[in-house]
Amino acid sequence: ESRYVKRVRIGVYAFNEWKGKTKIALTEDTKRVQEILDELGFEYFVSGLDVLQRFMQHVPEQYPMILFIEKTAHDEIVSYLLDGGFAVVKPSEVSKQYEDKKQVIVYDTENCDYQNDGIATIEKAFVDLYFSITRNKYPLSLQELVRVYQNLVRLGNIDKKKLIAASTKRNLQCDIRLIVETPYITEEAMQFAMILRRG
């Protein structure tokens, strides 16, 4: 009744990640970005590794932050982040060489679904991180992302229907559907798809 526990499937339950938000441990830099943006009063949300790091085996010491900001306030928000000492970069310009400043990858958005109090849902964070790695050369290996996904599934912390729904916003539904449904696809179908792809 208090919503501390959510049903994952028959006989399997997990703690509700939003109840008290005790499980999401944000870095000091991320908290500082939140303070700046909360003070400005614009809509935003943090996504990617900041939300998923507790499901990683090896958390990088420093990694670019994925931040979605209100499209109409882009220039003002970027200006405040720069004044706050952050290196604001475009999604396609992420550097593998870190400076002293924390890199913040800024995505403009008009849609703040799949987030709560400035923090993306698990499903949205996974989709955004997958997009960043596969499309924009985000400095995290695909193998590490696979381990994150396996941990999310094993611990019952991801809703696959919500994951697919979140992926449609980034036009990744084909990729994510394949990831979600891979355990149910026969080896023959996988081989068939590979032959099609080569042809």
Side-chain angles (χ1 to χ4, degrees):
E1 286 178 9
S2 299
R3 300 182 187 269
Y4 281 96
V5 175
K6 64 179 180 180
R7 183 174 178 270
V8 176
R9 59 184 176 272
I10 296 173
V12 179
Y13 296 85
F15 288 106
N16 185 347
E17 65 185 283
W18 297 118
K19 196 68 178 177
K21 288 202 181 162
T22 54
K23 291 189 174 184
I24 296 175
L26 299 174
T27 65
E28 291 305 313
D29 285 328
T30 303
K31 289 177 187 173
R32 178 69 189 120
V33 166
Q34 284 187 306
E35 286 171 13
I36 292 169
L37 297 179
D38 285 343
E39 203 170 287
L40 292 173
F42 294 117
E43 282 204 87
Y44 74 92
F45 62 92
V46 175
S47 191
L49 270 186
D50 283 293
V51 180
L52 298 172
Q53 65 174 305
R54 65 193 163 110
F55 301 104
M56 296 183 69
Q57 289 179 340
H58 309 289
V59 181
E61 264 186 48
Q62 193 174 12
Y63 53 85
M65 175 184 170
I66 296 175
L67 179 69
F68 286 79
I69 62 171
E70 196 175 314
K71 187 176 185 178
T72 55
H74 175 93
D75 292 341
E76 189 175 351
I77 291 171
V78 167
S79 174
Y80 275 96
L81 290 174
L82 291 171
D83 290 346
F86 294 96
V88 179
V89 295
K90 295 178 182 174
S92 58
E93 297 175 357
V94 179
S95 170
K96 289 186 180 182
Q97 298 297 320
Y98 297 111
E99 306 165 18
D100 290 337
K101 296 178 180 180
K102 169 88 170 185
Q103 285 189 15
V104 179
I105 304 168
V106 172
Y107 288 93
D108 292 335
T109 188
E110 294 173 345
N111 185 338
C112 286
D113 294 344
Y114 303 105
Q115 62 92 21
N116 188 1
D117 290 339
I119 306 283
T121 63
I122 293 288
E123 294 80 11
K124 173 71 171 145
F126 181 84
V127 167
D128 292 335
L129 187 57
Y130 176 87
F131 182 89
S132 296
I133 291 170
T134 60
R135 306 300 194 272
N136 291 327
K137 307 282 189 273
Y138 188 91
L140 186 75
S141 72
L142 210 51
Q143 291 82 358
E144 189 62 44
L145 187 62
V146 169
R147 284 192 284 273
V148 168
Y149 180 74
Q150 289 170 331
N151 286 336
L152 285 166
V153 171
R154 182 176 55 81
L155 297 169
N157 279 63
I158 197 160
D159 183 320
K160 293 178 181 180
K161 288 180 182 172
K162 286 182 184 174
L163 183 62
I164 292 168
S167 71
T168 59
K169 304 280 185 192
R170 302 302 294 267
N171 203 19
L172 290 172
Q173 61 272 28
C174 292
D175 289 33
I176 298 300
R177 200 173 274 285
L178 177 63
I179 290 166
V180 167
E181 295 174 357
T182 291
Y184 312 106
I185 300 172
T186 65
E187 194 58 43
E188 291 76 16
M190 293 291 265
Q191 289 174 6
F192 188 92
M194 292 304 292
I195 293 167
L196 275 179
R197 192 167 193 157
R198 285 196 296 264

